[in-house]
Amino acid sequence: MSISENLNRIRNSLPEHVTLVAVSKTKPVSDIMEAYNAGQRIFGENKVQEMTEKWEILPKDINWHMIGHVQRNKVKYMASYVSLIHGVDSLRLLKEINKQAKKANRNIDCLLQVHIAEEESKFGLDASELSEIITSIKSGTLSNIRVLGLMGMATFTDDDHQIRKEFQNLKSLFDKTKNVVSECSILSMGMSGDYQIAIEEGSNMVRIGSRIFGRR
Ligand SMILES: *Cc1c(COP(=O)(O)O)cnc(C)c1O
């Protein structure tokens, strides 16, 4: 199957309220252009430098989503163009994004990454850190960022029951966050292997790579 066939098959299977982020990390610009020519405009990358190199040469109506872990010293390279940063997991990072957004004279949209998987990972907030960061945002002065929602990744496992439980956990944190953060509307969960479960559990943004572009 070609990239455009994969893309169309997935798009046709997604409910209308679900946004597709085509995850193009490690893939060449020719693959991105094939998806672009099939109508895709939102692409996800997990490295700032790679994303910036692609942004420079590809059509400017592409929306670039940073889905990976972000180091604070890399924010400046994408501040002028990034359309959504999914992986915000500290107040320090959020403050740096705000600072760089101000310099670039724009607002930057962000999602807070929550750690829901059973696997050990350095990345993502737990429930209490999430509520702390939301309290700071609400009382704070971060005028150039908007927190539009939450992002999370389920455990890499064949156990659908466990994946479902983790997504339910994130959905419930999302609902709580929505109650206190008015612009919170995006729930980014679901990848190639688990996006159907994620949508059943309330996702409205899926990040799909290998099912579109093939193995990495
Ligand atoms: C790579 C990646 C994806 C896409 O993974 P696939 O299994 O190829 O669909 C989604 N989200 C994040 C955060 C990723 O790093």
Side-chain angles (χ1 to χ4, degrees):
M1 287 267 242
S2 70
I3 290 170
S4 57
E5 284 170 325
N6 290 337
L7 193 57
N8 284 327
R9 200 158 35 94
I10 291 169
R11 270 205 216 117
N12 290 333
S13 77
L14 294 180
E16 213 165 318
H17 68 278
V18 176
T19 300
L20 172 62
V21 179
V23 175
S24 49
K25 62 190 185 194
T26 78
K27 296 297 178 181
V29 295
S30 55
D31 284 6
I32 298 178
M33 277 312 294
E34 188 176 339
Y36 180 91
N37 288 328
Q40 183 66 24
R41 290 295 180 273
I42 304 176
F43 292 90
E45 292 280 337
N46 70 339
K47 294 205 167 65
V48 174
Q49 182 176 341
E50 181 179 342
M51 183 170 80
T52 301
E53 285 165 9
K54 288 171 172 173
W55 165 73
E56 278 168 355
I57 53 180
L58 284 162
K60 287 297 175 280
D61 62 342
I62 288 177
N63 292 320
W64 292 100
H65 287 203
M66 173 44 60
I67 62 169
H69 181 71
V70 179
Q71 290 170 281
R72 271 177 294 131
N73 62 356
K74 300 281 172 61
V75 174
K76 55 179 176 287
Y77 302 113
M78 62 178 168
S80 68
Y81 72 89
V82 68
S83 128
L84 183 64
I85 301 177
H86 290 234
V88 178
D89 63 355
S90 76
L91 191 57
R92 287 175 82 197
L93 176 58
L94 207 53
K95 283 179 174 164
E96 175 64 16
I97 295 169
N98 185 65
K99 180 177 149 191
Q100 296 299 334
K102 209 172 262 177
K103 266 193 188 168
N105 213 358
R106 62 184 292 244
N107 294 329
I108 295 181
D109 293 338
C110 299
L111 306 179
L112 299 175
Q113 182 172 355
V114 182
H115 181 73
I116 52 169
E118 202 167 70
E119 296 150 334
E120 277 298 311
S121 159
K122 289 175 290 188
F123 307 129
L125 305 153
D126 64 26
S128 72
E129 290 168 333
L130 175 65
S131 96
E132 263 173 51
I133 203 168
I134 286 167
T135 306
S136 322
I137 293 165
K138 286 194 66 79
S139 63
T141 51
L142 302 177
S143 52
N144 289 65
I145 54 111
R146 282 198 306 174
V147 172
L148 292 190
L150 302 183
M151 179 272 222
M153 275 187 280
T155 303
F156 189 69
T157 173
D158 288 334
D159 182 352
D160 285 1
H161 179 68
Q162 180 174 355
I163 293 171
R164 194 176 291 280
K165 263 190 345 201
E166 292 172 359
F167 284 151
Q168 285 168 352
N169 181 20
L170 185 57
K171 173 65 160 62
S172 107
L173 292 169
F174 174 68
D175 289 337
K176 284 182 195 150
T177 306
K178 264 200 319 200
N179 284 334
V180 285
V181 180
S182 58
E183 64 261 36
C184 177
S185 60
I186 298 175
L187 181 54
S188 168
M189 63 182 194
M191 312 177 18
S192 288
D194 57 19
Y195 73 91
Q196 283 107 338
I197 300 176
I199 291 168
E200 285 166 17
E201 298 306 333
S203 169
N204 58 25
M205 183 172 280
V206 292
R207 310 174 309 270
I208 300 180
S210 43
R211 284 246 180 151
I212 297 172
F213 296 105
R215 289 175 50 189
R216 288 181 295 273

